[in-house]
Amino acid sequence: MRAARLIKMVLLLQSRSSMTAGELARELEVSERTITRDAQALSEAGVPVYADRGRAGGYRLIGGYRTRLTGLARGEAEALFLSGVPGALREMGLEDAASAARLKVSAALLPSMGDASRTAAQRFHLDAPAWFRETGTPALLPAVAEAVWDDRRITARYRRVKGEEADVQRDLEPYGLVLKAGVWYVCARVPGPAPSFRVYRVDRFTAVEPAASGERFSRDEGFDLPGFWEERAEEFARSILRAEVVVRLSPEGVRRLAYAVDAVAAREALAGCGSPDAGGWVTVTLRVESQEVAHTQLTGLGAEAEVMSPGALRDRFAGDAGRLAALYR
């Protein structure tokens, strides 16, 4: 424990020109007296730690000393690639590993590049959850993440539908995690005579344990997580579009369609539309989840869209228009 702290103290001093005892104590979560003892121990071990006295004093390394103790552990290196997603790191239990990795990288940089981590953090940040949506961290996410990093088989119990009483149990080989609009999913292979890849919402897991065998699985090196997710996401989008509506769109309605409805449905509808009429309007057949969902989505297009069929949906928009006219009369 002390050895790790001493290494971290050297790395801190190596990445900064000088630090006070108070600053070191806060970073290392020890007392200033412990910092004094650690500095003396480092000096006795041949590390040139120098203490400046006075109000502006502090500890620094002299003579351009640089330690070679900057090798990244596997977990730290993996976490470093996610360091621009602090919330995701925290939820997966990797915040400490990422912090250690960033410190080691900072210590290994030339002095002229010492502010690289700070300037990058000031310029790029990913905020994954959608607006106006409260998202909670799934309690079992760290256990799933650990299995993903370690290629460990797990036995998971989950509910297929939220609120469902009966759990389903599966042995899974968790290949990767995806954070989509604040919701965590795990892409896993289900072992067996005909193994298949599936996607599970982590917040529906009710239990996650190491598989009875406790063994690691052999990862298919040809598996492409981004490609797999893109394919499955499109399949899912197509699977829920079970109804069709015919809509006339103004040029502005064409431009805004992909923002109002499912992007896949909008792309397919516009690809299959005919030539615009004299006013620039086009008629499209749009796949939707249901008439109820279509009503909500197309309302956002206002007067830039006219529903032609089904008749019940057109009548509903006509009723909306009448009520709006009465309100603003």
Side-chain angles (χ1 to χ4, degrees), residues 106-185:
S106 296
L109 294 175
L110 293 172
S112 60
M113 300 170 60
D115 65 344
S117 61
R118 179 180 60 82
T119 55
Q122 288 174 340
R123 287 163 173 79
F124 299 100
H125 174 68
L126 175 62
D127 185 10
W131 287 105
F132 315 118
R133 180 175 182 176
E134 292 291 334
T135 57
T137 303
L140 296 172
L141 177 61
V144 176
E146 184 177 354
V148 168
W149 294 125
D150 208 25
D151 293 342
R152 292 279 184 183
R153 285 185 177 179
I154 59 173
T155 298
R157 291 201 305 274
Y158 71 99
R159 290 188 173 89
R160 296 189 188 200
V161 180
K162 195 171 183 179
E164 193 177 62
E165 292 187 4
D167 287 354
V168 177
Q169 182 168 303
R170 290 278 188 276
D171 287 333
L172 301 176
E173 296 174 349
Y175 266 61
L177 285 162
V178 175
L179 179 59
K180 169 71 171 178
V183 180
W184 284 97
Y185 298 85

Side-chain angles (χ1 to χ4, degrees), residues 30-117:
V30 295
S31 67
E32 292 187 25
R33 182 172 296 181
T34 298
I35 294 298
T36 302
R37 289 197 297 265
D38 286 352
Q40 182 177 351
L42 287 170
S43 182
E44 291 172 353
V47 179
V49 178
Y50 180 78
D52 290 316
R53 306 297 178 183
R55 292 182 59 187
Y59 292 93
R60 60 186 176 87
L61 295 174
I62 60 175
Y65 178 86
R66 301 191 72 78
T67 177
R68 292 175 179 266
L69 298 172
T70 54
L72 292 176
R74 179 179 178 83
E76 294 168 347
E78 290 169 336
L80 187 60
F81 288 102
L82 295 171
S83 59
V85 197
L89 281 170
R90 194 165 47 249
E91 292 179 4
M92 288 190 290
L94 295 171
E95 190 172 26
D96 289 343
S99 176
R102 285 193 295 269
L103 181 59
K104 289 181 178 182
V105 169
S106 296
L109 294 175
L110 293 172
S112 60
M113 300 170 60
D115 65 344
S117 61

Side-chain angles (χ1 to χ4, degrees), residues 226-305:
F228 171 79
W229 176 259
E230 182 179 0
E231 180 182 328
R232 286 303 173 92
E234 188 159 324
E235 284 180 7
F236 174 75
R238 292 175 187 277
S239 71
I240 64 174
L241 303 177
R242 302 186 182 93
E244 289 185 348
V245 298
V246 178
V247 187
R248 286 182 70 242
L249 298 169
S250 71
E252 178 64 13
V254 169
R255 188 186 69 81
R256 290 165 46 188
L257 184 64
Y259 300 99
V261 303
D262 178 80
V264 173
R267 185 169 64 246
E268 292 181 349
L270 294 174
C273 72
S275 301
D277 62 18
W281 287 63
V282 297
T283 300
V284 301
T285 299
L286 180 68
R287 296 175 64 196
V288 294
E289 187 174 345
S290 66
Q291 288 190 33
E292 186 67 33
V293 171
H295 176 262
T296 301
Q297 293 175 331
L298 295 175
T299 294
L301 294 178
E304 308 302 331

